[in-house]
Amino acid sequence: MSNQPEHPTLLIPGPVEFDYEVLQSMSHYSQSHVGAPFVATFGETLTMLRQLMQTADPASQPFVVSGSGTLGWDFVAANLAEKGDDVLVLHTGYFADSFADCFETYGVNATQLKAPIGDRPQLPEVEKALKEKKYKLITVTHVDTSTGVLSEVKALSELVHRVSPETLVIVDGVCSVGCEDIQFDNWGIDAVLTASQKAIGCPPGLCIMMYSGRAIESFKNRKTLPAAYFASIKNWLPIMQNYEAKKPSYFATPSPQLIHALHTTLTQILARPLSERFAIHREASQRIKSTITSYGLKQLPTKPENQANSMTAIYLPEGVKAPDLLPSLLRRGVVFAGGLHKQIAAKYIRFGHMGVSVVDPARKDIDKALEALKEGLVEVGYQIQ
């Protein structure tokens, strides 16, 4: 039973609504970040992240560092690539542009392989690109929050390992970890980057990463020092290894309250099989997408295989504007997000459906949102058939 104050239901693609127990964990009394009680909590949290990412390889290593998911880009660009290296960035929206910009900031040459809005680069195109040039890394945004496009990581990784086995496979999982299947070991992934505030269901402020043994060896074999200090694997790797071994260690002060909240939400997530959690998100997503189709609305990704289970990007009907519709939804107690893709930002809205709003059967957030959307559309002049 939640004791949260009454508030509009937050259904943007992150941050999401948070479980009451998770929020209560944020009020944990102050602790020493090198004291045995907190070190034990942090160590358990790192071990649970292995379960969430589905890795049992002792050579892989989870990281939790204070910062937003964006910090994960800096970790990759500063540690796994060196100035002058070539990397291939698969583009499905706004966040590929940003990741490429991050690489360029560190002197890394980022080539973007783009797809039309709502689609993703096709595997034959990726294969052709990999055969034309040697790339140190390939990056893919599992779910691009700007478009709602879902990329197929398993088949992509298989392709990379077959065609360019020395290329590291990097997955931006900010809007997918916790609601989309990610099999780190089985799929041969080298890094997954995510954040606390989306499907994982913890308040913002933590950058969460998993690196393979191969990625860590690649880092150790670099010819130059990392081009960052705070975002240096050199500085953080021994800290994370020590915390997971329940040994106190220090490089920079973590947030004990956020780590307690992350520990709580991971405990909740892992209390049921991950396959069940993914199925619940998939079923909710299909119901939402079916309902908005019945309203006569269209999605940015038109192909079902390209449609994420964590969110839905909805084109606005002719004559309907986001500055009119979004306040109408707010009056009905629901918060959606406006468009983010630079080329079409004014033409669509985004509905985030992940985490507690989906998996808690006592909550009626999705029903409330769909009804609010229907009523809001009518209020701004759209006729639902």
Side-chain angles (χ1 to χ4, degrees):
M1 186 69 176
S2 175
N3 292 319
Q4 295 182 46
E6 286 294 321
H7 63 278
T9 304
L10 188 59
L11 291 167
I12 65 175
V16 300
E17 287 288 320
F18 301 123
D19 182 82
Y20 182 64
E21 288 185 18
V22 174
L23 292 179
Q24 284 293 98
S25 298
M26 285 287 292
S27 64
H28 196 283
Y29 56 82
S30 192
Q31 283 181 300
S32 167
H33 55 290
V34 291
F38 174 69
V39 170
T41 299
F42 204 154
E44 291 169 6
T45 301
L46 292 168
T47 298
M48 285 192 284
L49 284 171
R50 291 182 180 275
Q51 296 174 256
L52 180 63
M53 304 278 193
Q54 302 183 71
T55 174
D57 185 351
S60 62
Q61 182 59 51
F63 287 65
V64 178
V65 179
S66 295
S68 74
T70 305
L71 180 61
W73 295 339
D74 283 88
F75 263 87
V76 169
N79 293 281
L80 299 186
E82 298 185 62
K83 187 174 183 178
D85 281 346
D86 292 299
V87 300
L88 183 61
V89 177
L90 304 189
H91 186 288
T92 52
Y94 175 93
F95 291 94
D97 288 327
S98 300
F99 205 166
D101 188 41
C102 181
F103 280 119
E104 297 288 348
T105 300
Y106 289 93
V108 178
N109 304 316
T111 298
Q112 293 198 59
L113 184 58
K114 298 191 175 186
I117 294 173
D119 208 346
R120 62 195 186 197
Q122 300 302 299
L123 293 180
E125 298 174 291
V126 179
E127 181 168 356
K128 181 174 182 290
L130 290 173
K131 287 180 176 178
E132 289 176 347
K133 183 187 288 189
K134 180 179 180 180
Y135 290 101
K136 182 72 172 292
L137 316 169
I138 183 171
T139 76
V140 58
T141 309
H142 198 185
V143 172
D144 194 293
T145 317
S146 72
T147 58
V149 170
L150 172 69
S151 292
E152 216 296 84
V153 174
K154 180 176 183 288
L156 173 67
S157 185
E158 289 173 348
L159 170 67
V160 175
H161 282 277
R162 175 173 58 83
V163 175
S164 183
E166 70 282 0
T167 300
L168 299 178
V169 179
I170 312 298
V171 178
D172 179 336
V174 170
C175 199
S176 66
V177 173
C179 59
E180 302 281 2
D181 193 16
I182 298 179
Q183 298 184 29
F184 193 86
D185 288 353
N186 291 343
W187 296 355
I189 300 171
D190 291 298
V192 172
L193 327 169
T194 190
S196 53
Q197 77 274 11
K198 301 205 179 195
I200 290 176
C202 173
L206 295 176
C207 176
I208 298 167
M209 301 166 281
M210 184 70 70
Y211 292 100
S212 70
R214 190 170 80 131
I216 292 170
E217 282 305 307
S218 175
F219 163 76
K220 290 179 178 179
N221 291 331
R222 26 180 321 126
K223 299 181 180 67
T224 60
L225 290 173
Y229 185 68
F230 183 75
S232 169
I233 287 179
K234 173 179 176 289
N235 291 331
W236 282 110
L237 179 60
I239 308 301
M240 294 298 133
Q241 290 173 331
N242 285 343
Y243 267 129
E244 195 168 11
K246 311 292 175 59
K247 298 175 182 177
S249 196
Y250 176 76
F251 164 60
T253 305
S255 169
Q257 282 68 33
L258 275 172
I259 297 298
H260 277 287
L262 180 58
H263 185 279
T264 298
T265 193
L266 289 174
T267 301
Q268 293 175 343
I269 289 171
L270 296 172
R272 63 169 52 149
L274 287 174
S275 58
E276 183 179 320
R277 181 180 179 85
F278 301 147
I280 292 169
H281 278 88
R282 186 166 55 250
E283 290 160 9
S285 178
Q286 290 171 350
R287 180 163 71 91
I288 290 163
K289 289 169 172 58
S290 174
T291 301
I292 66 166
T293 299
S294 75
Y295 293 169
L297 304 176
K298 296 180 180 179
Q299 298 177 56
L300 268 66
T302 56
K303 302 173 186 174
E305 64 269 24
N306 290 352
Q307 296 169 357
N309 294 309
S310 55
M311 62 169 290
T312 303
I314 308 166
Y315 275 118
L316 292 166
E318 190 71 30
V320 174
K321 298 180 179 179
D324 298 324
L325 179 59
L326 295 178
S328 177
L329 298 180
L330 180 59
R331 288 192 293 273
R332 289 166 172 80
V334 172
V335 180
F336 280 9
L340 187 59
H341 195 292
K342 297 172 186 176
Q343 295 179 32
I344 56 168
K347 297 182 179 180
Y348 73 108
I349 58 174
R350 295 173 297 146
F351 177 176
H353 36 82
M354 59 191 117
V356 69
S357 290
V358 172
V359 300
D360 183 351
R363 299 181 69 114
K364 303 300 178 185
D365 296 353
I366 303 305
D367 293 335
K368 177 182 176 181
L370 290 171
E371 187 62 26
L373 178 59
K374 182 178 181 180
E375 293 176 0
L377 286 165
V378 171
E379 183 178 76
V380 298
Y382 175 68
Q383 298 300 315
I384 295 177
Q385 302 299 320

